[in-house]
Amino acid sequence: MNRTVTAVAPANIALIKYWGMLDEAGPLPANASVSMTLRNCVARCTVRLLPEDAPDEVWWHNRQGLLHRASPALADGILAHLQRLRNAARGRSAPARVPRFRVTTGNTFPTGAGIASSAAGYTALTLAVTTLLGKRPTPADLSVLACSSGSGSAARSAYGGYVRWPADPHDPAGPAAAIAPADHWLLSNVIAVVDSRPKAVTSREGHRRAPTSPFFDRRLQLLPQRTSIVEGALRERDFAALTRVVEEEAVEMHLIAMSSRPPIFYWRPATIEVLAAVRELRHDGIPACATIDAGPNVHVLTTPDHRDCVRAALDALPEVQETIVDEVGTGPFLSDMHIGDLGTSSA
Ligand code: PMV
């Protein structure tokens, strides 16, 4: 049996946001969401089998290439998910032995800052552990298991291309499904990082507070029509139609956050500067539209032809610390490049 497995899984950017839960267990989303899977913003997770009497270990591989013990918050989430994955693998039969793991994980992008790091991380962890336990999960299996971590958007990172969760809008407990593969429409995403620090209020807490907004029920009424416009724009590769609703949708999700009790402000002044720059690009005839997950950083969608021009415009803003160029990607995969083999040093 293989004793070390590495999985790579992508972040995704929601075009229609999931914000609010019907039930935290599962989790069950209050609304259907649609996303684009990314290619370069990925989590890489190496999982090694340890001797049975060893405790599970969690290590963090930072963007500078250094390894250190994971923070208690990260380690607690990962240890709880390891237990879920062991239970799922065991089924009803009593285990012959309880597998123990050393998990080493890291992201190519800032963590906890509105770039779906939990979705990428839990999908990579789930794929690595289930493979190590001898299973070959389908994308649907991976989706259901990864989102049982509590990161709902992990349900979408199991697939490449453009993804909807739940696939059946009338069944919030249903799985996610791809609605189009990556090569259907090669869109770029230039991420303007204005603050790379982890957000102060988790999205889990944001989901809990969402129904306290006086505008939440109205949002749920408006979403089915907006979702079908986004799906139609994706189907027809219609950038203008996508632009008309994607920015409106992002602003509305943040309006719910800002009007929750107590309110949550993920935006920084720099976020507004980037939104203004995107409007200016459009005014100059460049196809560009902005969306923002639960953080201050802005994802600017554009076509591959206009990617460099969008990046140059964002890099020119003094408020932008870094731009990350990404595009639609093909989904998670297993890799032979284990984190310990990547020339890292321990700290
Ligand atoms: O996946 P979670 O539970 O961390 O929540 C994700 C929330 C948003 O990123 C704001 C929206 C989404 O659908 O991805």
Side-chain angles (χ1 to χ4, degrees), residues 12 14 16-19 33 150-154 156 203 207 253 293-294:
N12 65 77
I16 296 287
K17 317 287 184 190
Y18 135 67
W19 199 243
S33 53
S151 168
S153 54
R156 301 185 309 245
S203 36
H207 291 299
M253 185 217 103
D293 271 357

Side-chain angles (χ1 to χ4, degrees), residues 326-344:
D326 213 331
E327 62 187 2
V328 61
T330 50
F333 57 92
L334 296 171
S335 163
D336 290 337
M337 294 236 300
H338 306 310
I339 289 183
D341 302 345
L342 293 173
T344 52

Side-chain angles (χ1 to χ4, degrees), residues 19 112-114 194-195 197-207 209 253-258 260 263-269 271 292-297:
W19 199 243
V194 298
D195 189 345
R197 290 172 301 177
K199 57 190 164 234
V201 182
T202 62
S203 36
R204 186 170 302 199
E205 182 57 25
H207 291 299
R209 289 187 206 172
M253 185 217 103
H254 284 269
L255 178 142
I256 301 296
M258 291 180 206
S260 296
I264 307 168
F265 294 91
Y266 288 120
W267 291 13
R268 300 251 178 276
T271 309
I292 310 164
D293 271 357
N297 302 311

Side-chain angles (χ1 to χ4, degrees), residues 118-263:
S118 312
Y122 280 112
T123 303
L125 174 69
T126 305
L127 179 57
V129 171
T130 48
T131 305
L132 201 49
L133 293 176
K135 311 267 183 232
R136 302 182 75 180
T138 63
D141 298 335
L142 183 57
S143 171
V144 169
L145 274 174
C147 96
S148 70
S149 66
S151 168
S153 54
R156 301 185 309 245
S157 276
Y159 301 87
Y162 300 90
V163 184
R164 179 182 176 124
W165 175 60
D168 174 358
H170 304 296
D171 178 10
I179 53 179
D183 61 7
H184 167 72
W185 194 13
L186 295 178
L187 284 181
S188 298
N189 177 20
V190 183
I191 305 169
V193 178
V194 298
D195 189 345
S196 58
R197 290 172 301 177
K199 57 190 164 234
V201 182
T202 62
S203 36
R204 186 170 302 199
E205 182 57 25
H207 291 299
R208 280 183 195 138
R209 289 187 206 172
T212 66
S213 163
F215 309 110
F216 184 65
D217 289 343
R218 181 68 184 137
R219 166 170 169 74
L220 295 184
Q221 286 167 3
L222 294 171
L223 273 172
Q225 197 198 3
R226 192 181 295 148
T227 306
S228 74
I229 294 174
V230 163
E231 291 183 335
L234 292 174
R235 208 169 32 245
E236 305 298 326
R237 303 183 192 91
D238 182 343
F239 199 88
L242 195 68
T243 302
R244 277 196 291 278
V245 288
V246 160
E247 282 196 13
E248 172 184 293
E249 163 62 4
V251 169
E252 190 179 277
M253 185 217 103
H254 284 269
L255 178 142
I256 301 296
M258 291 180 206
S259 56
S260 296
R261 298 196 182 112

